């Protein structure tokens, strides 16, 4: 797992490590890594124009010591001293190396801008002159490198309250910070480079974790020699209606493509006809009343996509949620639960897969507030509702009480189209039926779905059916040829 930590967790580890090192050693390690990253970006250091935006804290000191190193290699380095005070030893070293102090107009002509305005402890909106300098840096032509976290992004949450630096590269020290992995902050980081300064042995359990190829490979169920269709997991799907037939087709397709041994579909006449035509592999039970008595034994249920929200749908949802197996609830199922929270009073596990609007109805918080603080509200919903929450959006997160939130780093903005969420619910539902817990099924499902979105899009518009078709290739890319991790710039996962 790629693990990330809050500002308090990082500072606690730093205090422990600094007590064992000579004074200033930790900052020198950070400055060395920062200078190396800047030099790589510049290519040719000699003669390059570098501007440091220097705040009052240790980030400003890191920037000054890195500027010292670049100046000694022949770069023309200027420092804009924006704070009420400046790291004195760093400034002396910087000036001795040939660096100079300049006004903020120097930003416009820089080849490289180093953002050392505020550190990981900053919260809320940037104050002046920091806010103005952040906007000027964003408007300049120079490449921006952020120190630890882009100024204006809260390190512990990813929240952005006003102006914030948009970096091309963020050089973060010691460990990833939560706000670098979660939007809206993640949209400001560019590529994140981690500098090892020795914090590892002193870090606590992480705040959040992002699964990697290797993690997903370990978690994905695989059939054994003794497997049959029943041992591989049977998923019941209660989805679709005469108005929304496609939701049933896409959810069943996602489940079949994700390896369910059998999918038992239960629905009314029109979606039954469509599912039968598209997926002859599915075992179909036509429903003339809202009952699941004739469906047969399943290991998990998928409830909700396109189901409708009337009395008939409510009764069917109540029957499904009265079962003793895990249930994934999506789309219309979430609307039904928002109206009648008593439906969630069950002993078996529940995984819900809302977008921000659906979660808004469940916990009574505005969509805008949820999107601005995704971690906070996913955690709140998990605790309040007693379920596992897969919150879809620009950053998809999976929250379960008393566990680190998992952040999904696969996906593409092309997934923001109708029906892709139905495919995701099918994929995650199939993983539930194959024996993964809700926490793992949500995490692995989001990861595979995001990879399938990239494969289906390849830089162009996609369809939900195309995403479902790409699921086996996505799984194959994880299990047959694990790849080094990378984050696509500004990549998002926005299933509808």
């Amino acid at each position: 797992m790629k693990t990330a930590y809050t500002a308090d967790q990082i500072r606690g580890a730093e205090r422990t490590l600094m007590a064992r090192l000579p004074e200033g050693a930790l900052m020198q390690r950070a400055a060395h890594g920062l200078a190396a990253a800047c030099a790589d970006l510049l290519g040719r250091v000699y003669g390059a124009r570098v501007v440091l935006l220097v705040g009052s804290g240790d980030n400003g000191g890191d920037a000054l010591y890195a500027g010292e190193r670049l100046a000694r290699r022949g770069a023309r380095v200027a420092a804009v001293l924006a704070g009420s005070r400046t790291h004195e030893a760093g400034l002396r070293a910087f000036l001795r190396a040939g660096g100079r102090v300049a006004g903020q107009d120097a930003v416009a002509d820089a080849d490289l801008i180093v953002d050392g305005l505020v550190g990981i402890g900053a919260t809320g909106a940037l104050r002046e002159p920091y806010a103005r300098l952040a906007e000027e840096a964003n408007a300049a032509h120079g490449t921006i490198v952020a120190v630890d976290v882009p100024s204006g992004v809260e390190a512990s949450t990813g929240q952005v309250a006003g102006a914030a630096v948009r970096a091309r590269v963020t050089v973060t020290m010691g460990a990833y910070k939560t706000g670098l992995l979660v939007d809206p902050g993640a949209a400001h980081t560019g590529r994140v480079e981690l500098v090892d300064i020795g914090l590892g042995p002193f870090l606590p359990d992480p705040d959040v974790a992002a699964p990697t190829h290797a993690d997903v490979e370990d978690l994905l169920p695989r059939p054994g020699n003794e497997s049959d269709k029943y041992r591989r997991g049977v998923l019941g799907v209660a989805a679709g209606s005469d108005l929304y037939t496609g939701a049933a087709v896409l959810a069943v397709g996602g489940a079949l493509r994700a390896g369910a041994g059998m999918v038992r579909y239960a629905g009314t006449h029109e979606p039954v006809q469509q599912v039968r035509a598209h997926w002859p592999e599915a075992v179909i039970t036509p429903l003339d009343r809202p009952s699941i008595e004739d469906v047969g034994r399943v290991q998990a249920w998928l409830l909700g996509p396109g189901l409708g929200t009337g009395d008939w749908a409510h009764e069917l949802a109540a029957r499904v949620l009265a079962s003793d197996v895990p249930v994934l609830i999506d789309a219309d199922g979430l609307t039904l639960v928002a109206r009648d929270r008593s439906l969630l009073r069950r002993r078996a596990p529940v995984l819900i897969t809302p977008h921000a609007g659906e979660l808004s109805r469940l916990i009574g918080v505005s969509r805008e507030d949820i999107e601005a603080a995704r971690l906070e509200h996913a955690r709140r919903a998990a605790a309040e509702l007693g379920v596992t929450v897969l919150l879809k959006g620009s950053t998809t997160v999976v929250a379960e009480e008393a566990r680190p939130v998992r952040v999904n780093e696969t996906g593409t903005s092309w997934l923001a189209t109708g029906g892709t969420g139905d495919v995701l619910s099918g994929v995650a539902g199939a993983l539930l039926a194959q024996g993964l817990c809700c926490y793992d099924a949500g995490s692995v499902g989001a990861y595979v779905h995001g990879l399938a979105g990239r494969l289906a899009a390849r830089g162009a518009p996609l369809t939900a059916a195309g995403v479902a078709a790409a699921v086996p290739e996505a799984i194959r890319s994880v299990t047959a040829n694990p790849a080094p991790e990378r984050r696509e710039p500004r990549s998002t996962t926005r299933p509808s």
Side-chain angles (χ1 to χ4, degrees):
M1 294 280 177
K2 178 192 288 187
T3 53
Y5 302 83
T6 67
D8 286 344
Q9 288 176 313
I10 294 290
R11 286 184 296 203
E14 287 176 342
R15 284 193 296 270
T16 303
L17 178 56
M18 283 191 291
R20 302 175 180 223
L21 295 174
E23 185 177 354
L26 206 60
M27 183 170 286
Q28 292 299 330
R29 291 179 183 180
H32 176 79
L34 175 60
C38 291
D40 285 345
L41 277 172
L42 287 168
R44 183 175 181 271
V45 176
Y46 188 86
R49 295 168 298 182
V50 178
V51 170
L52 315 176
L53 304 181
V54 180
S56 299
D58 287 345
N59 271 36
D62 293 342
L64 286 166
Y65 278 121
E68 173 204 7
R69 287 164 166 79
L70 295 173
R72 292 192 186 281
R73 294 180 59 178
R76 293 181 287 169
V77 190
V80 178
L81 306 182
S84 57
R85 56 187 174 82
T86 304
H87 191 282
E88 292 182 4
L91 182 59
R92 286 196 301 269
F94 172 72
L95 294 174
R96 282 197 305 267
R100 65 183 179 90
V101 174
Q104 64 188 49
D105 56 343
V107 173
D109 297 323
D111 300 311
L112 187 76
I113 303 165
V114 179
D115 164 31
L117 290 172
V118 299
I120 61 174
T123 59
L126 289 177
R127 298 178 181 177
E128 295 299 349
Y130 292 171
R132 184 173 66 255
L133 282 169
E135 291 172 345
E136 289 182 3
N138 291 339
H141 70 80
T143 298
I144 302 175
V145 177
V147 182
D148 236 0
V149 64
S151 296
V153 173
E154 288 195 15
S156 298
T157 66
Q159 295 180 39
V160 177
V165 168
R166 288 189 175 271
R168 179 174 172 184
V169 175
T170 296
V171 180
T172 200
M173 311 304 174
Y176 293 101
K177 284 70 183 176
T178 295
L180 301 177
L181 304 187
V182 180
D183 278 327
H188 290 254
T189 64
R191 185 176 78 249
V192 179
E193 295 188 7
L194 177 63
V195 174
D196 184 0
I197 58 173
L199 289 188
F202 310 103
L203 289 167
D205 291 338
D207 182 48
V208 304
T212 67
H213 255 51
D215 301 315
V216 173
E217 182 186 22
D218 287 344
L219 289 169
L220 272 168
R222 289 179 175 80
N225 292 336
E226 300 300 318
S227 294
D228 58 35
K229 60 189 176 185
Y230 300 104
R231 291 175 180 171
R232 287 191 59 197
V234 180
L235 177 67
V237 176
S241 61
D242 290 353
L243 184 60
Y244 298 111
T245 59
V249 173
L250 293 167
V252 170
L256 289 167
R257 296 287 195 178
M262 180 187 294
V263 175
R264 297 186 185 274
Y265 174 71
T268 55
H269 176 74
E270 287 300 325
V272 158
Q273 296 296 103
Q274 292 296 320
V275 171
R276 182 174 285 133
H278 283 85
W279 303 112
E281 303 94 330
V283 176
I284 294 175
T285 303
L287 299 180
D288 54 11
R289 57 192 178 90
S291 171
I292 58 171
E293 295 172 359
D294 299 328
V295 173
R297 182 67 180 167
V298 301
Q299 275 75 56
W301 274 99
L302 162 56
L303 170 69
L307 188 66
T309 57
D311 292 343
W312 192 95
H314 182 278
E315 179 61 25
L316 181 58
R319 299 291 182 95
V320 169
L321 287 164
S323 68
D324 60 357
V325 299
V327 177
L328 184 154
I329 310 175
D330 185 33
D332 286 343
L334 296 170
T335 300
L336 293 168
V337 168
R339 291 178 185 170
D340 183 2
R341 293 269 287 271
S342 69
L343 292 171
L344 290 178
R345 293 175 192 153
R346 63 192 314 264
R347 294 183 178 178
V350 173
L351 169 62
I352 65 172
T353 59
H355 53 60
E358 290 162 339
L359 191 64
S360 171
R361 294 193 289 274
L362 280 165
I363 62 174
V365 175
S366 75
R367 177 175 190 146
E368 293 74 21
D369 286 348
I370 290 171
E371 289 177 338
R374 305 182 62 76
L375 288 178
E376 174 188 339
H377 293 103
R379 284 181 171 127
R380 170 185 164 181
E384 185 176 309
L385 302 174
V387 302
T388 304
V389 178
L390 188 162
L391 176 58
K392 299 179 288 194
S394 57
T395 304
T396 292
V397 300
V398 179
E400 189 172 282
E401 196 168 14
R403 297 180 111 169
V405 172
R406 284 187 178 163
V407 176
N408 185 56
E409 291 196 306
T410 65
T412 168
S413 54
W414 293 111
L415 278 166
T417 190
T420 56
D422 302 331
V423 176
L424 172 59
S425 63
V427 172
L431 294 168
L432 270 183
Q434 291 174 81
L436 294 191
C437 66
C438 290
Y439 186 61
D440 288 340
S443 307
V444 174
Y447 192 97
V448 169
H449 179 263
L451 287 180
R454 289 184 184 177
L455 291 166
R458 299 188 188 277
L462 53 74
T463 64
V467 176
V471 167
E473 186 180 353
I475 292 173
R476 193 177 302 115
S477 74
V478 171
T479 58
N481 186 29
E485 295 308 307
R486 66 184 181 87
R487 180 183 174 96
E488 290 190 350
R490 305 291 304 282
S491 166
T492 56
T493 304
R494 292 183 179 271
S496 68

